[in-house]
Amino acid sequence: MQSRFFFSSEMKVKASKETEFKLHREKQRVTNMGLLLLLGAFICCFMLNSVTCVHQIQWLPCQFTDEHVSLNAEGLVDTQLIHREAMLQFGQKGDAPVNPQAITFLITGSRLDLRKYLDGVETEQLECELRRYSTEGIHVHWPSQEAKDYNRWFTCTIKQDKGLFTVTGFLRHPSDQPPPGQQDYRSWPAIADSEILTTSVAMVTKTQTPSVKATLSSQQRLHCQFGIDHRGANVTVEWHWQQRGERKKLFSHSSRTRQSHGSGVGLKGLAGGDATYTLPFTKMSSEGTYICSVVVNPLLGSQDVVLQVEEPPRVSLNVGPVLSLSDGEDQKIVCEAENYYPLDVEINWYEQDPAVAGQRVGAPLPKMMQNVLLSSHKHNQDMTYSVSAFFYLQASPKASGRQFTCSVSHKSLRLPIKKSFILKVQEPSLMWVGILVVFLLIILGVLILYLHSAKKKQRRLY
């Protein structure tokens, strides 16, 4: 009986442990399923949001800058620009135009979606311009094109209105007409005001740094990105610098020969369409326009990056936060602005009465001082500038506690740099006046005693 009892107890314990183990495994499975569902939901939301961002722009109003080229009376080429209303519309071939009164550039699907280069900004922040593009008579069969042998080319340049980026897309419009020759721009086919041109995006270039402000000795990354609608394209990427008529090649790479010249662009990134150029050390001579060009025959796309050097001034005073002077004492006060670039700088001195210094609400504005002199600009060896603004201060008791502020403004500064000091005028105290009087009385007494004794000696002699 006892053996049966122990055996039964062991079976119950074992069954209980197996049940707990099964429950634990089931709970773990449910937990894992929940995590997978959450991960799947996150991925779906991310993908949906991405699709929404990319495809939220269905159309974009643009200006089509058309060209009328002719020869003038002197036999020279005369180009007349004609600004026409146009619409950039994303959709499928055969879609109805959003604006029937405008020229419609209908962009159909390709491996390149122009909208994904627009960083998800609203259409109100975008400026769009369309132009014809001349291949100068060069015809190259584009790998992704359909049965028709020829193409008409257009460029679409989209800028963010605050200068955050510039995107240029090359639009390919299939045609059964061959290019008219090297000067094809003289005989471009006419485009009607309500015409629909079905196109696709063949190549895109972009920069997120159309304008760069750099300080001396800083490292700068000049962004350039490109995309092509087919693989295996023969791409040549080059960077040039130009300033005041001078032009210099900084970097070049050919995917066909796999040869590179120069430095500053990573070849791994270049394979993925990243042609960003790194300027390792900004000097004054680094100022200029940097041009990123991408060539896929017969197309040449480029983005300009304008780099400006802006070095903020270092501001200092020749006195400390508190200046102590005696009544009537003079002091030359100098505010120095050093090592700034470019040249334009503004220095002003202000004074504020002690009654309102430190008062925030209802305090009158400090008064600009008029008796301020400026030194001539000093041109430093590093091509920066320095200048000083100074005045002569005469201490008086009523000026004691007054605050004087030097304010320096420069285009490299968001807010002016301000340096201040407070004047303390020391007046002779009554104690020192009393000591001086006593000292003088003592000297006078000694002098009287001396004269009195001298007279007595004279009387004795006589």
Side-chain angles (χ1 to χ4, degrees):
M1 290 291 293
Q2 287 181 350
S3 61
R4 287 183 180 180
F5 175 76
F6 286 122
F7 179 75
S8 176
S9 299
E10 289 178 1
M11 290 293 290
K12 287 179 180 180
V13 170
K14 187 175 181 180
S16 176
K17 288 183 177 180
E18 289 179 353
T19 303
E20 289 179 2
F21 180 72
K22 288 180 179 180
L23 288 173
H24 176 74
R25 288 187 61 184
E26 185 67 22
K27 188 184 294 184
Q28 189 73 26
R29 189 178 67 83
V30 171
T31 303
N32 291 339
M33 286 292 294
L35 290 172
L36 287 172
L37 288 172
L38 286 173
L39 181 61
F42 173 78
I43 293 172
C44 288
C45 288
F46 177 79
M47 292 178 66
L48 286 172
N49 286 335
S50 300
V51 171
T52 302
C53 290
V54 169
H55 296 289
Q56 64 182 349
I57 299 177
Q58 298 301 323
W59 51 268
L60 187 65
C62 297
Q63 176 180 273
F64 177 45
T65 304
D66 207 354
E67 299 179 11
H68 177 70
V69 181
S70 60
L71 294 177
N72 57 23
E74 299 175 354
L76 301 176
V77 176
D78 187 18
T79 303
Q80 180 185 3
L81 299 181
I82 305 168
H83 302 297
R84 306 173 67 184
E85 185 180 5
M87 189 69 68
L88 197 68
Q89 184 173 330
F90 298 90
Q92 301 296 325
K93 187 175 182 179
D95 286 354
V98 174
N99 183 1
Q101 307 303 318
I103 303 169
T104 299
F105 287 81
L106 181 62
I107 298 181
T108 57
S110 72
R111 290 188 68 245
L112 286 180
D113 193 327
L114 190 63
R115 292 170 291 185
K116 81 172 186 177
Y117 293 88
L118 304 182
D119 296 342
V121 301
E122 300 294 331
T123 56
E124 292 79 9
Q125 302 174 9
L126 299 175
E127 301 170 356
C128 174
E129 183 186 29
L130 291 153
R131 281 178 175 263
R132 299 180 190 254
Y133 181 80
S134 170
T135 61
E136 298 182 352
I138 299 174
H139 168 65
V140 175
H141 181 81
W142 198 256
S144 62
Q145 73 183 72
E146 298 85 5
K148 292 184 179 180
D149 292 332
Y150 304 105
N151 296 301
R152 290 162 60 189
W153 295 95
F154 300 88
T155 61
C156 173
T157 300
I158 302 174
K159 298 181 180 180
Q160 201 271 345
D161 59 1
K162 303 297 183 183
L164 296 181
F165 62 79
T166 301
V167 176
T168 300
F170 286 81
L171 308 184
R172 183 176 60 83
H173 174 62
S175 171
D176 54 3
Q177 298 296 321
Q182 186 174 3
Q183 296 182 340
D184 53 359
Y185 48 83
R186 289 192 181 183
S187 54
W188 270 326
I191 298 176
D193 288 340
S194 58
E195 189 169 341
I196 300 175
L197 297 168
T198 303
T199 65
S200 61
V201 181
M203 187 172 83
V204 176
T205 62
K206 176 182 180 179
T207 179
Q208 293 176 333
T209 55
S211 178
V212 176
K213 295 179 180 179
T215 57
L216 291 174
S217 306
S218 64
Q219 183 185 88
Q220 298 296 325
R221 285 177 55 81
L222 311 182
H223 178 261
C224 183
Q225 177 184 356
F226 66 92
I228 303 165
D229 70 346
H230 60 276
R231 295 181 179 179
N234 293 328
V235 186
T236 300
V237 175
E238 293 183 343
W239 274 95
H240 290 84
W241 168 87
Q242 68 179 26
Q243 175 81 329
R244 300 185 184 94
E246 183 182 356
R247 185 179 175 92
K248 180 172 60 177
K249 183 184 289 188
L250 304 173
F251 174 83
S252 67
H253 175 78
S254 171
S255 64
R256 183 177 61 84
T257 63
R258 298 183 179 180
Q259 291 184 350
S260 300
H261 300 281
S263 60
V265 179
L267 297 183
K268 288 184 179 180
L270 201 59
D274 183 7
T276 298
Y277 179 79
T278 300
L279 184 66
F281 190 83
T282 303
K283 300 177 290 186
M284 204 64 73
S285 58
S286 302
E287 262 197 333
T289 302
Y290 292 76
I291 305 166
C292 172
S293 58
V294 180
V295 178
V296 180
N297 203 20
L299 307 179
L300 167 60
S302 65
Q303 294 292 344
D304 291 354
V305 178
V306 179
L307 186 141
Q308 294 177 311
V309 175
E310 290 188 358
E311 188 70 11
R314 297 199 301 266
V315 181
S316 61
L317 303 181
N318 68 330
V319 296
V322 178
L323 175 62
S324 297
L325 297 176
S326 299
D327 186 11
E329 187 178 354
D330 290 336
Q331 174 75 44
K332 182 181 179 180
I333 309 297
V334 183
C335 179
E336 188 86 23
E338 300 176 286
N339 301 104
Y340 58 85
Y341 186 88
L343 177 62
D344 295 333
V345 70
E346 183 179 359
I347 306 181
N348 292 306
W349 272 102
Y350 298 90
E351 59 179 328
Q352 193 169 18
D353 292 332
V356 296
Q359 181 181 343
R360 293 185 178 181
V361 181
L365 294 174
K367 298 177 183 177
M368 184 184 293
M369 300 176 63
Q370 302 299 323
N371 59 332
V372 178
L373 301 174
L374 286 175
S375 69
S376 58
H377 287 277
K378 177 185 175 183
H379 205 179
N380 304 312
Q381 288 186 348
D382 62 356
M383 305 302 290
T384 61
Y385 297 93
S386 298
V387 72
S388 61
F390 60 94
F391 67 96
Y392 293 92
L393 177 63
Q394 186 175 35
S396 63
K398 67 176 183 180
S400 186
R402 188 169 294 177
Q403 180 174 281
F404 295 84
T405 302
C406 174
S407 176
V408 179
S409 300
H410 188 256
K411 67 182 301 183
S412 63
L413 303 171
R414 294 183 61 187
L415 296 172
I417 297 176
K418 296 182 179 181
K419 298 286 184 178
S420 302
F421 72 91
I422 295 175
L423 175 64
K424 296 293 184 183
V425 180
Q426 298 175 344
E427 298 183 64
S429 65
L430 293 177
M431 182 184 71
W432 287 106
V433 172
I435 292 174
L436 181 61
V437 170
V438 171
F439 180 71
L440 292 174
L441 288 174
I442 292 172
I443 293 176
L444 182 62
V446 171
L447 184 60
I448 292 172
L449 288 173
Y450 175 76
L451 293 174
H452 181 69
S453 62
K455 286 182 179 180
K456 282 183 177 181
K457 287 180 180 181
Q458 286 181 355
R459 286 175 184 173
R460 288 174 184 176
L461 292 174
Y462 292 108

